[in-house]
Amino acid sequence: MSSTDSVVDGVRRLSPTGISILVVGGGVGGMMTALESWRQGHDVRILERNPKLDTIGDCLGILPPGWSTLRFFPKMKEQFERESYDVEFSFWRYEGRLIEHRGEAEWNYPGAVHSAKDVRVPWMETRSSIANMLTQQCERLGIKVEYGNTAVSYDENENEAIVTIAKLDGTTAKETADIIVAADGVATTSHEHVTGRKVRAESSGYALYRGLIPMDLLKSKLSAATQEKFFSSPRGDFRIYMATDRHANIIITRDFVCYAITYKEDGHSKESWRAAVSADDVLKRLNETPGWDPELVDIISLIPEKSCVDWTLLWRDPQPQWASKGGRVVQLGDSAHSFLPTSGNGATQALEDALSLATCLRLAGKGKEQTATKVHNALRFERVSTIQKTGFANRRLMHHIDLDAAEAHPELITMTLPAWIWTHDPVEYAKENYAAAEAHVTNGAPFKNTNGPPGVTYEPWDIASEMGKETLST
Ligand SMILES: Cc1cc2nc3c(=O)[nH]c(=O)nc-3n(C[C@H](O)[C@H](O)[C@H](O)COP(=O)(O)OP(=O)(O)OC[C@H]3O[C@@H](n4cnc5c(N)ncnc54)[C@H](O)[C@@H]3O)c2cc1C
């Protein structure tokens, strides 16, 4: 520990860098950016649109790379391990027959080494638990989260980044910092400044019914047989039920059943966490494919009023430029790259961005922040874009697999969550590759990323090519 390091709440903070960072958006990505920036010695504040902490949402799966630095935050790590759900994974036919029990996540197999050192990373957490955990850690470190601040536009000059904020009382204000991080989600207003154009959101052809049913609403109303079938596993289950052109993720824990049912959309759903529909709507949709597991249907029929989100799965083509031309504004998480849920990576990649960006800024040091954001962008884009594509591949697989063949040969279910995804440590990667990537960014020296699939050279792609494959396979 150097003489200028300090310790707060058991977290060691590296010596101050003098770099000021303003994070816009207090979601999962924004909060982790603030925490890791604090740990790396930067000065950081968060501006959030909501008037107070919003814990709406259901289940989130976050892979080990997102927790690569969790061991440095001992109280937060303890909370994470206490509140996560160490469920076991399995594939099912939609009629209710088990195809294969896979159990542990691969990164927890005996002998596997993942990037979240000293942390047990289970399959599942809830968004409310993660949001509380990150917010409480910010509070304990003295990081200010300023609620009721909506970013309207971004700008910069040679000396500072600028964001115009609309306040709850109707006034506007300008806030400045060395670096502004636009972590304001899929509807970010940063594109005009960062890329010079609006990014179009297009339909991916599907929508999702999702929500939680608390256990106290379920247990007393279900038959003994249903209870036995769904609630007898001591660890709980993460089940994927597959049918033609739709699938259901059902997560069964000691506290709730979480459901996420992907279906072909017909224009009714919205990209909003507040677009609620009733249990009857969900049942009607399920019954379009006759023969769903009647006991699962019993559970779905107990969805509480106004609790089911009907979320349209929109898509934005991968766009490679996350840092503005001047380098002082940088997009992070969903604002830079949105994910289909079938990639299982939206929150993970937002957290990876956070860890990478804070590290690059420390490696660059005060005065070279504008280069750091571009180096971070160069280190991350190809990896993220490659993982985005897995969402399409996984969905195609689940929606078009021959269930009889899969029952006979479960190895045909080749979901894409390979080791190169969950062994990656974004902090170490940034440290090892910063100098070479900086030479690439500043004077065009050759540089090849090694954080993607081994032996594969990145090929740009877009939604039109992926949707074309979808049509071919129907
Ligand atoms: C309310 C909500 C519920 C969610 N629930 C789930 C879930 O159950 N399961 C799941 O897999 N994923 C969920 N997600 C999405 C998931 O959290 C993200 O896809 C992922 O974690 C990436 O995080 P992010 O920080 O980039 O974006 P987000 O988590 O979307 O965070 C963006 C943040 O920016 C704030 N914001 C937006 N616009 C502005 C603005 N103009 N100015 C200031 N602040 C702004 C938002 O209020 C939000 O806090 C949810 C997101 C939200 C916002």
Side-chain angles (χ1 to χ4, degrees):
M1 182 157 154
S2 101
S3 58
T4 47
D5 291 358
S6 54
V7 177
V8 180
D9 193 46
V11 187
R12 178 182 153 203
R13 184 182 199 192
L14 302 178
S15 58
T17 60
I19 297 174
S20 62
I21 300 176
L22 187 57
V23 178
V24 178
V28 174
M31 287 286 178
M32 186 57 107
T33 304
L35 291 172
E36 189 60 15
S37 294
W38 184 94
R39 194 179 77 83
Q40 297 281 352
H42 314 310
D43 298 319
V44 63
R45 293 162 56 204
I46 303 175
L47 301 180
E48 163 58 44
R49 174 181 60 183
N50 289 320
K52 60 182 176 50
L53 174 63
D54 183 0
T55 59
I56 195 171
D58 44 77
C59 286
L60 270 183
I62 303 183
L63 309 175
W67 302 124
S68 301
T69 60
L70 188 57
R71 67 189 182 283
F72 300 125
F73 298 86
K75 284 196 190 148
M76 187 162 77
K77 172 178 179 293
E78 197 263 325
Q79 191 173 353
F80 170 79
E81 289 177 333
R82 191 176 62 241
E83 294 181 3
S84 297
Y85 294 97
D86 204 3
V87 290
E88 296 188 82
F89 186 63
S90 52
F91 287 106
W92 294 67
R93 292 178 68 115
Y94 68 99
E95 304 98 318
R97 225 162 47 236
L98 177 67
I99 296 178
E100 189 188 20
H101 176 83
R102 292 204 176 161
E104 293 295 353
E106 275 180 46
W107 55 86
N108 287 328
Y109 283 178
V113 180
H114 61 69
S115 47
K117 293 188 187 69
D118 302 333
V119 184
R120 169 80 188 173
V121 183
W123 278 112
M124 220 38 83
E125 294 90 42
T126 61
R127 184 172 179 278
S128 62
S129 162
I130 297 295
N132 278 315
M133 178 185 110
L134 295 168
T135 307
Q136 287 160 13
Q137 181 65 85
C138 282
E139 282 166 6
R140 292 196 300 272
L141 297 179
I143 297 170
K144 271 175 81 181
V145 187
E146 297 165 46
Y147 292 101
N149 288 294
T150 300
V152 181
S153 63
Y154 294 80
D155 201 356
E156 71 192 280
N157 57 40
E158 186 42 42
N159 301 315
E160 61 188 8
I162 306 155
V163 60
T164 303
I165 296 295
K167 306 254 171 203
L168 288 177
D169 63 7
T171 59
T172 57
K174 286 195 191 303
E175 298 278 356
T176 61
D178 292 333
I179 293 295
I180 293 186
V181 181
D184 45 357
V186 286
T188 181
T189 51
S190 61
H191 284 297
E192 279 180 13
H193 178 67
V194 172
T195 62
R197 61 183 185 281
K198 285 206 162 126
V199 170
R200 280 216 345 251
E202 297 174 58
S203 169
S204 78
Y206 290 83
L208 191 63
Y209 291 130
R210 62 186 307 162
L212 289 179
I213 315 173
M215 196 52 84
D216 52 6
L217 288 184
L218 285 171
K219 280 234 161 146
S220 59
K221 301 207 174 108
L222 295 171
S223 69
T226 307
Q227 297 206 29
E228 171 63 21
K229 187 164 168 185
F230 282 85
F231 308 131
S232 57
S233 151
R235 282 176 55 176
D237 282 309
F238 172 9
R239 302 181 180 180
I240 296 187
Y241 287 79
M242 296 184 287
T244 303
D245 242 349
R246 61 194 59 202
H247 73 277
N249 288 4
I250 305 293
I251 297 145
I252 305 152
T253 74
R254 58 190 177 272
D255 299 322
F256 55 77
V257 170
C258 175
Y259 58 93
I261 301 166
T262 300
Y263 67 93
K264 264 207 155 164
E265 74 143 1
D266 52 14
H268 284 93
S269 53
K270 294 199 178 71
E271 198 179 44
S272 161
W273 290 100
R274 298 182 196 281
V277 295
S278 69
D280 281 349
D281 293 323
V282 183
L283 290 173
K284 252 185 248 155
R285 189 73 68 173
L286 267 190
N287 287 333
E288 288 170 2
T289 308
W292 278 82
D293 180 352
E295 283 144 337
L296 177 59
V297 169
D298 284 351
I299 291 180
I300 297 295
S301 68
L302 294 171
I303 291 174
E305 261 314 288
K306 297 205 163 52
S307 71
C308 173
V309 173
D310 187 7
W311 176 270
T312 189
L313 293 167
L314 294 186
W315 180 253
R316 289 137 181 107
D317 274 335
Q319 64 93 10
Q321 192 185 339
W322 306 347
S324 60
K325 206 163 157 224
R328 290 204 179 273
V329 177
V330 59
Q331 299 175 328
L332 182 138
D334 279 1
S335 87
H337 43 69
S338 60
F339 277 82
L340 293 181
T342 36
S343 69
N345 257 278
T348 304
Q349 294 310 312
L351 296 188
E352 285 193 21
D353 284 352
L355 305 184
S356 166
L357 178 64
T359 308
C360 287
L361 285 164
R362 179 162 189 94
L363 292 166
K366 179 86 178 164
K368 287 188 77 180
E369 306 92 324
Q370 290 155 280
T371 308
T373 57
K374 294 179 182 178
V375 172
H376 156 77
N377 192 164
L379 293 174
R380 299 274 313 140
F381 169 69
E382 292 177 356
R383 171 176 170 82
V384 168
S385 173
T386 306
I387 297 173
Q388 279 175 301
K389 204 167 146 186
T390 64
F392 287 92
N394 288 339
R395 190 171 74 185
R396 268 199 304 280
L397 183 126
M398 287 187 285
H399 287 190
H400 301 297
I401 197 159
D402 175 337
L403 290 176
D404 293 334
E407 219 171 349
H409 299 283
E411 68 280 7
L412 290 173
I413 314 171
T414 50
M415 295 279 282
T416 314
L417 211 48
W420 65 266
I421 296 184
W422 47 262
T423 53
H424 177 67
D425 180 331
V427 172
E428 290 309 313
Y429 187 75
K431 285 185 185 164
E432 284 161 17
N433 292 280
Y434 190 89
E438 184 187 21
H440 175 68
V441 163
T442 52
N443 56 34
F447 174 69
K448 192 164 166 23
N449 275 301
T450 51
N451 53 0
V456 176
T457 300
Y458 175 73
E459 299 255 354
W461 63 279
D462 61 20
I463 183 165
S465 58
E466 285 308 297
M467 294 306 284
K469 289 181 199 164
E470 204 101 358
T471 316
L472 285 177
S473 56
T474 44

